Amino acid sequence: LLRLNISRRPIANKYSDGKMQRTLKRGLKVPETGLKLQFLYFIGTRENKKKEEEKKMFSRNMMKVLAGAAVGTAATSTWVHAQVKKDSVSDVLKEIPSIHVMPMTQQMKAMQTIMRDQNTTRQDFVFFSDRLMRLLIEEALSFTPFKRTEVTTPTGDKYDGLSFCAKICGVSIMRAGESMENSLRATCRDVRIGKVLIQRDEKTGKPDPRYSYVKLPQDIKDRYVFLLDPMLATGGSAIRAVQILLDHGVKEERIVFVNVVCCPEGIRAFHKQFPRIQVVTSAVDAELNSKKYILPGLGDFGDRYFGTEGW
């Protein structure tokens, strides 16, 4: 049950024609969410009294609608919930500077729409996932070192540029993370790729403290590591995978976590453990459901990519 506080405050304003009016400001506040709903209406001296009364009536009706909604009607309950979720995503982006979300261009929005649609064929899902993941890999490369280089252009002039100098390898969290390997190979030729398999308890969403399988390049401690996993839900698997990398000598600041979709719960849990790791993602969704699936999400990424739904 939500408590409702209604405040009324008159404010003097001035018409553009010089006439004075009073603005009555009413606010609805839901303390449990910190959400304020405000509505303004105007009381003034107008020549047409009928129009003024109609506006007053409209204002009163609107306040009744908002007040009724704030105490539990389905429509506004959904609206309030959506606002809280939106605020939660906005808050996590402000408080965690190591999360980098790709700009939501029209192209990015269109690709995500296709990937999230439950009616999308596997062929289209794989095609557009590969396109989007390659953009993520390109963005992740921005967090590796470069060195200044001068070259001569075909016109004979000099150009001050940059050249790649980082030794990179990828580590995919099996099985869904393997879907990102092709995009990494397409961007970084001859890149080395390690694998980690982490068993997760589907009931709790937490990983088994033991990992089932790990195979990493021998010189991984000297490389910048792209940790690949398309979904960051609870953060348990990613946290365990990073701990394995640290145990093998990889420096925390040399890890970039590349991710397709994440949520505030997972981001906060991951950042709490490893604040120096940069996270590159294409979307931060609202929340987790009771089954630890991201909402609105896109379903089980691995099943949709590899065609194993229902098994």
Side-chain angles (χ1 to χ4, degrees):
L1 182 64
L2 301 178
R3 295 192 302 273
L4 179 64
N5 296 330
I6 302 179
S7 61
R8 303 179 61 179
R9 184 178 61 181
I11 305 171
N13 287 322
K14 193 174 183 180
Y15 286 125
S16 59
D17 59 3
K19 295 183 179 179
M20 297 298 296
Q21 69 171 6
R22 287 187 304 121
T23 302
L24 189 60
K25 181 178 183 180
R26 288 191 177 186
L28 306 179
K29 183 178 181 181
V30 184
E32 287 79 4
T33 64
L35 193 64
K36 284 186 177 181
L37 309 177
Q38 293 185 338
F39 186 80
L40 301 178
Y41 67 89
F42 303 102
I43 304 173
T45 57
R46 291 184 179 275
E47 296 179 0
N48 193 333
K49 295 294 183 181
K50 185 177 179 180
K51 288 185 178 180
E52 183 180 346
E53 288 301 321
E54 288 175 353
K55 291 191 176 185
K56 287 186 190 179
M57 181 62 70
F58 173 77
S59 300
R60 284 194 290 267
N61 290 338
M62 284 297 297
M63 291 302 298
K64 289 179 181 178
V65 171
L66 291 174
V71 296
T73 61
T76 307
S77 176
T78 302
W79 182 85
V80 170
H81 187 48
Q83 277 299 117
V84 173
K85 291 191 292 185
K86 182 178 179 181
D87 292 343
S88 177
V89 171
S90 177
D91 291 343
V92 77
L93 294 178
K94 290 178 181 178
E95 68 188 58
I96 301 179
S98 59
I99 177 79
H100 307 279
V101 183
M102 294 282 288
M104 188 56 71
T105 61
Q106 293 189 41
Q107 176 189 211
M108 182 69 71
K109 189 74 170 179
M111 288 190 291
Q112 286 202 16
T113 301
I114 295 170
M115 293 167 61
R116 292 174 186 270
D117 188 349
Q118 63 178 351
N119 297 316
T120 295
T121 64
R122 176 175 171 252
Q123 183 180 17
D124 283 344
F125 183 84
V126 171
F127 176 79
F128 287 101
S129 294
D130 286 344
R131 278 187 59 186
L132 187 146
M133 290 187 291
R134 181 160 181 172
L135 294 176
L136 288 170
I137 297 296
E138 297 281 7
E139 181 68 17
L141 286 169
S142 300
F143 299 97
T144 62
F146 293 77
K147 64 180 181 181
R148 301 188 71 87
T149 303
E150 184 183 81
V151 297
T152 303
T153 72
T155 63
D157 281 354
K158 301 294 183 180
Y159 177 78
D160 292 325
L162 298 173
S163 63
F164 299 96
C165 64
K167 295 169 63 178
I168 297 171
C169 78
V171 173
S172 60
I173 301 177
M174 299 165 67
R175 174 187 59 148
E178 293 176 306
S179 65
M180 307 180 76
E181 293 177 3
N182 287 337
S183 297
L184 179 59
R185 289 192 186 97
T187 308
C188 305
R189 291 179 296 181
D190 301 322
V191 66
R192 299 181 183 185
I193 296 180
K195 295 180 183 290
V196 175
L197 174 61
I198 298 172
Q199 194 66 32
R200 188 180 76 163
D201 187 332
E202 295 298 334
K203 293 182 179 179
T204 64
K206 297 180 179 180
D208 190 304
R210 301 164 298 175
Y211 53 86
S212 302
Y213 176 83
V214 59
K215 191 68 173 179
L216 303 173
Q218 291 184 352
D219 62 345
I220 192 170
K221 63 183 178 63
D222 300 320
R223 295 179 177 271
Y224 283 81
V225 179
F226 286 0
L227 182 62
L228 309 175
D229 195 5
M231 308 299 286
L232 177 62
T234 63
S237 297
I239 290 171
R240 185 70 187 108
V242 170
Q243 190 58 58
I244 293 170
L245 295 177
L246 297 180
D247 292 343
H248 282 77
V250 181
K251 296 179 181 179
E252 182 177 326
E253 60 271 19
R254 287 193 169 197
I255 301 173
V256 181
F257 182 33
V258 189
N259 164 262
V260 176
V261 177
C262 57
C263 67
E265 292 94 328
I267 294 172
R268 287 193 172 99
F270 187 82
H271 178 74
K272 183 178 180 180
Q273 295 292 325
F274 309 110
R276 289 182 290 175
I277 293 181
Q278 305 300 315
V279 180
V280 178
T281 187
S282 70
V284 180
D285 280 8
E287 60 182 353
L288 296 175
N289 65 9
S290 59
K291 295 182 178 180
K292 307 303 180 184
Y293 273 77
I294 298 174
L295 299 179
L298 44 73
D300 189 305
F301 193 98
D303 280 345
R304 296 188 70 188
Y305 192 94
F306 295 110
T308 54
E309 297 99 329
W311 291 89

